[in-house]
């Protein structure tokens, strides 16, 4: 067999263990059950908070701009802090970060409740405290989503994420109604107070979580900006992550038409009371619960691409029904279908984004995913709202349905399937410690790492092919530059280099070890390497002149810079 063919044969796949059939299997895990209950209570408090804030703002001011700014105050922190929050969650202890964010939101909600109950609230103070609550939520979301894959075995992860979706949809169904009752019988301040108490329950649950010790870096930790760049770099050179982000933004761009236009359809197009809008939301929540029940069976019978394709098509059908049907029973049935489809699609994306990346970059990838989803929803709402204003609601909903139909073709280019062996991120081996005469400071850099190979000319095509695959891994794991060069004086000498921003960044690469994918490539590369000695590795640190009080001594006979009589340097 030729060397190239022998080296490029794929390794046999190792199947994952079968997934449990019960959709409620994760609830048998005590810590997940405890956190699920805490999340459900907190979500109900959040919906009560939203209803109370809108009602209070309408009492405090008649300005529609200030009422609209409440949504901006809640959503803006997501765009400002998603990436920093994901980076921070990958650098610090996640349990402590959860305690901090939950405490931040509890204190803010209780301060808002106290000010409101005492009658000291104003529109701008309400906006400020809503923004502070949003900051806590934006910091909390990425780290909260990393908890589920940490406490739930991978085969049960789809059911666990589906149960989280059920928690959110049940809270969306009951929270506003409960908030309306509390505000009607008491006041908005009472709703804020209950929201603050719900955070206290979550704090207690997280505090009770006896988290297993996790491997942490012995260094001071990456800088947040460097960590953000590292997360973006990883996503850029990780095709599975790229596929999820592309599919996610395309789906939410079209699906946003439902949430943006459904209130107008009910009131202006169907001429029905706003209570019917609440009924449709409840139907959508029921569909999400139904989706969680049927999810294990669908996982066994359909691939992830087929699940997303069928669910996207079902969502498009729901949009068309909302555009042209005036039958209440039909609309209610279609919204159940839409809720089921919404849960299936986002469940598939959420499971994917939490399982196709290693733990060290997991929170940053989730933050990118959340930012992408929010961006698709925000952009789609503006676009479909503008289309509806100009050409009418039916045409806007039909256009969104057509967009979703076309987006199903993305499965041909951006498949969500990932082989099981590619999901094992356990290091194959530790990296060899570099031989150093002196230890650099963590922030010194950039650093260039070179590896010199001896390759026979006839094996150069196979070698360069494998090196191109290794280059993607280098860049994905932190390299800001990569190259492969041949020595013109020695045709068998090939030198690979990659560059990292700092010594700390490279030291953390050493701590993470060699991934299985990288180890497999390196074994094939070593077979092509000639000579008894292994490939030579060198670590080069950038050097810059640092100004000192004493000028450098000029060596006798060296060139000096003097001024001529004409004023020119010679």
């Amino acid at each position: 067999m030729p060397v190239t063919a022998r080296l490029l044969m794929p390794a046999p796949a190792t199947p994952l263990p079968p997934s449990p059939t019960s959709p409620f299997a994760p609830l048998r895990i005590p810590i997940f059950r405890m956190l699920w209950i805490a999340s459900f209570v907190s979500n109900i408090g959040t919906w009560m908070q939203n209803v109370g804030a809108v009602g209070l703002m309408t009492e405090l001011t008649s300005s529609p701009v200030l009422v609209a700014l409440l949504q901006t105050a809640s959503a803006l922190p997501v765009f400002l802090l998603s990436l920093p929050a994901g980076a921070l969650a990958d650098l610090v202890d996640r349990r402590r970060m959860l305690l901090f964010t939950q405490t931040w939101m509890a204190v803010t909600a209780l301060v808002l409740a106290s000010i409101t109950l005492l009658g000291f609230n104003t529109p701008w103070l309400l906006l400020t405290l809503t923004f502070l609550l949003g900051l806590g939520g934006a910091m909390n979301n990425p780290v909260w989503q990393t908890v589920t894959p940490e406490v739930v075995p991978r085969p049960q992860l789809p059911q666990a994420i589906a149960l989280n979706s059920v928690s959110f949809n049940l809270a969306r169904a009951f929270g506003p109604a409960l908030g309306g009752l509390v505000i009607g019988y008491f006041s908005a301040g009472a709703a804020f107070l209950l929201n603050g108490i719900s955070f206290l329950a979550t704090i207690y649950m997280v505090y009770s979580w006896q988290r297993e010790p996790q491997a942490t870096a012995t260094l001071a930790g990456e800088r947040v900006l460097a960590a953000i760049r590292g997360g973006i770099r990883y996503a850029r050179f990780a095709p599975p992550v790229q596929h999820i982000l592309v599919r996610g933004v395309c789906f939410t761009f079209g699906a946003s038409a439902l949430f943006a236009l459904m209130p107008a359809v009910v009131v202006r197009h169907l001429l029905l009371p706003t209570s019917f809008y609440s009924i449709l939301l409840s139907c959508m929540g029921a569909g999400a619960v139904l989706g969680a029940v049927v999810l294990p069976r669908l996982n066994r019978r359909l691939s992830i691409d087929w699940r997303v394709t069928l669910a996207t098509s079902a969502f498009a059908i729901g949009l068309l029904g909302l555009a042209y049907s005036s039958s209440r029973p039909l609309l209610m049935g279609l919204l159940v279908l839409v809720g089921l489809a919404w849960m299936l699609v986002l469940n598939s994306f959420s499971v994917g984004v939490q399982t196709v990346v290693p733990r060290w970059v997991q929170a940053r990838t989730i933050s990118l995913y959340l930012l992408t989803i929010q961006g698709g929803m925000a952009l789609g709402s503006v676009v479909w709202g503008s289309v509806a204003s100009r050409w009418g609601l039916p045409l806007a909903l039909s256009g969104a349905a057509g967009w979703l139909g076309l987006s199903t073709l993305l499965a041909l280019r951006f498949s969500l399937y990932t082989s099981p062996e590619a999901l094992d991120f356990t290091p194959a081996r530790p990296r060899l410690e570099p031989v150093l005469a002196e230890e650099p400071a963590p922030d010194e850099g950039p650093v260039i790492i070179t590896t010199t190979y001896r390759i026979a000319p006839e094996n150069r095509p196979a070698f360069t092919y494998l090196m191109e695959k290794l280059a993607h891994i280098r860049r994905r794991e932190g390299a800001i530059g990569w190259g492969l060069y041949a020595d013109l004086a020695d045709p068998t000498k090939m030198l690979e280099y990659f560059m990292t921003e700092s010594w700390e960044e490279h030291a953390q690469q050493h701590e993470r070890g060699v991934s299985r994918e990288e180890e497999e490539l390196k074994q094939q590369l070593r077979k092509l390497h000639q000579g008894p000695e292994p490939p030579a590795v060198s670590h080069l640190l950038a050097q810059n002149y640092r100004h000192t009080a004493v000028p450098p001594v000029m060596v006798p006979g060296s060139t000096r810079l003097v001024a001529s009589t004409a004023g020119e340097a010679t």
Side-chain angles (χ1 to χ4, degrees):
M1 182 181 296
V3 172
T4 305
R6 185 171 63 249
L7 291 173
L8 304 182
M9 287 180 64
T14 303
L16 287 175
S19 176
T21 56
S22 172
F24 305 105
L27 291 176
R28 300 191 187 103
I29 303 171
I31 180 60
F32 177 78
R33 181 173 64 248
M34 182 174 64
L35 293 175
W36 188 88
I37 294 172
S39 177
F40 177 63
V41 173
S42 181
N43 284 334
I44 287 182
T46 299
W47 282 106
M48 293 174 62
Q49 163 79 30
N50 294 340
V51 172
V54 173
L56 179 61
M57 183 63 83
T58 56
E59 294 178 6
L60 294 174
T61 179
S62 59
S63 170
V65 175
L66 290 176
V67 176
L69 282 177
L70 273 175
Q71 182 63 30
T72 303
S74 299
L76 184 60
V78 176
F79 291 94
L80 295 178
L81 290 183
S82 280
L83 291 179
L88 193 61
D90 281 328
L91 303 179
V92 302
D93 182 85
R94 292 173 181 175
R95 178 174 171 271
R96 292 183 179 180
M97 185 171 177
L98 279 175
L99 289 173
F100 172 77
T101 56
Q102 293 292 324
T103 302
W104 174 284
M105 291 186 285
V107 170
T108 306
L110 292 174
V111 168
L112 177 58
S114 301
I115 292 175
T116 305
L117 291 172
L118 293 174
F120 297 144
N121 217 331
T122 65
W124 287 106
L125 187 56
L126 177 59
L127 284 174
T128 301
L129 291 172
T130 300
F131 180 76
L132 292 177
L133 265 176
L135 288 179
M139 293 289 290
N140 180 79
N141 287 339
V143 65
W144 185 267
Q145 293 210 29
T146 63
V147 171
T148 300
E150 186 170 328
V151 301
V152 175
R154 180 172 291 173
Q156 298 183 30
L157 194 56
Q159 291 96 309
I161 294 178
L163 287 171
N164 288 337
S165 177
V166 168
S167 168
F168 178 81
N169 282 282
L170 287 176
R172 180 168 60 181
F174 295 113
L178 185 58
L181 289 175
V182 172
I183 294 169
Y185 280 98
F186 299 100
S187 65
F192 300 153
L193 180 62
L194 290 176
N195 183 40
I197 294 174
S198 73
F199 286 121
L200 296 179
T202 307
I203 291 170
Y204 173 75
M205 296 294 188
V206 175
Y207 182 79
S208 303
W209 174 25
Q210 300 299 320
R211 186 171 184 254
E212 295 181 3
Q214 303 293 315
T216 57
T218 57
L219 299 174
E222 292 174 278
R223 294 162 295 174
V224 172
L225 290 179
I228 293 174
R229 290 194 297 269
I232 296 174
R233 192 181 300 119
Y234 187 96
R236 178 185 175 189
F237 292 102
V241 178
Q242 295 173 13
H243 293 186
I244 292 172
L245 297 182
V246 170
R247 299 282 293 274
V249 72
C250 289
F251 173 76
T252 53
F253 178 80
S256 64
L258 178 85
F259 304 97
L261 303 180
M262 189 164 65
V265 170
V266 171
V267 176
R268 289 166 43 193
H269 185 60
L270 300 177
L271 303 179
L272 295 173
T274 53
S275 59
F276 186 68
Y277 171 67
S278 301
I279 293 174
L280 292 181
L281 285 180
S282 299
C283 291
M284 190 173 177
V289 175
L290 177 62
V293 173
V294 302
L295 180 64
R297 182 173 299 177
L298 291 178
N299 284 347
R300 293 195 305 270
R301 297 189 176 185
L302 297 174
S303 68
I304 185 172
D305 279 320
W306 272 110
R307 290 199 305 274
V308 171
T309 298
L310 293 177
T312 303
S313 302
F315 202 104
I317 293 172
L319 288 177
L320 291 174
L322 190 65
Y324 298 106
S325 176
S326 58
S327 170
R328 296 190 187 188
L330 178 59
L331 287 176
M332 292 169 64
L334 287 175
L335 263 293
V336 171
L337 180 66
V338 164
L340 187 150
W342 174 263
M343 197 284 299
L344 290 179
V345 173
L346 291 192
N347 176 270
S348 299
F349 292 156
S350 297
V351 172
V353 80
Q354 294 181 40
T355 55
V356 299
V357 296
R359 185 176 296 277
W360 65 269
V361 76
Q362 191 177 64
R364 280 170 280 184
T365 308
I366 290 175
S367 68
L368 279 172
Y369 166 72
L370 293 175
L371 189 61
T372 301
I373 294 297
Q374 290 286 341
M377 292 290 291
L379 180 61
S381 298
V382 172
V383 170
W384 303 121
S386 301
V387 172
S389 299
R390 182 161 186 154
W391 290 293
L393 291 168
L395 187 60
L397 291 168
S398 300
W403 172 273
L404 290 178
L406 291 175
S407 72
T408 58
L409 300 177
L410 290 173
L412 302 175
R413 173 65 179 82
F414 299 96
S415 173
L416 300 176
Y417 171 76
T418 303
S419 60
E421 64 271 13
L423 299 178
D424 186 0
F425 299 107
T426 306
R429 62 174 175 83
R431 293 189 187 274
L432 299 178
E433 289 298 321
V435 178
L436 304 175
E438 57 183 21
E439 183 76 20
D443 59 347
E444 286 191 273
V447 178
I448 292 178
I449 299 90
T450 67
T451 307
T452 304
Y453 294 86
R454 291 287 179 177
I455 305 298
E458 62 271 17
N459 288 334
R460 185 175 292 186
F463 177 79
T464 53
Y465 173 81
L466 294 172
M467 273 296 178
E468 286 293 332
K469 297 177 70 175
L470 182 61
H472 279 79
I473 299 176
R474 299 286 200 205
R475 293 189 174 104
R476 190 173 65 204
E477 297 198 352
I480 60 175
W482 181 91
L484 179 64
Y485 293 88
D487 190 339
L488 296 179
D490 185 351
T492 66
K493 187 177 180 181
M494 304 285 289
L495 184 141
E496 178 223 8
Y497 88 90
F498 68 93
M499 181 188 297
T500 61
E501 291 188 36
S502 65
W503 178 253
E504 180 181 34
E505 179 84 17
H506 180 59
Q508 289 177 341
Q509 292 176 345
H510 272 269
E511 291 177 353
R512 292 194 293 264
V514 179
S515 67
R516 296 179 182 276
E517 183 183 6
E518 181 181 348
E519 178 62 14
E520 181 181 347
L521 283 174
K522 287 187 171 180
Q523 288 179 359
Q524 298 179 64
L525 289 167
R526 290 191 191 99
K527 293 178 182 178
L528 298 177
H529 175 70
Q530 294 180 326
E533 298 295 328
V537 179
S538 298
H539 294 75
L540 310 177
L541 181 66
Q543 299 293 303
N544 299 292
Y545 169 69
R546 297 181 179 179
H547 179 73
T548 60
V550 180
V553 178
M554 300 300 295
V555 180
S558 61
T559 304
R560 294 178 180 270
L561 187 65
V562 297
S564 68
T565 55
E568 296 178 347
T570 59

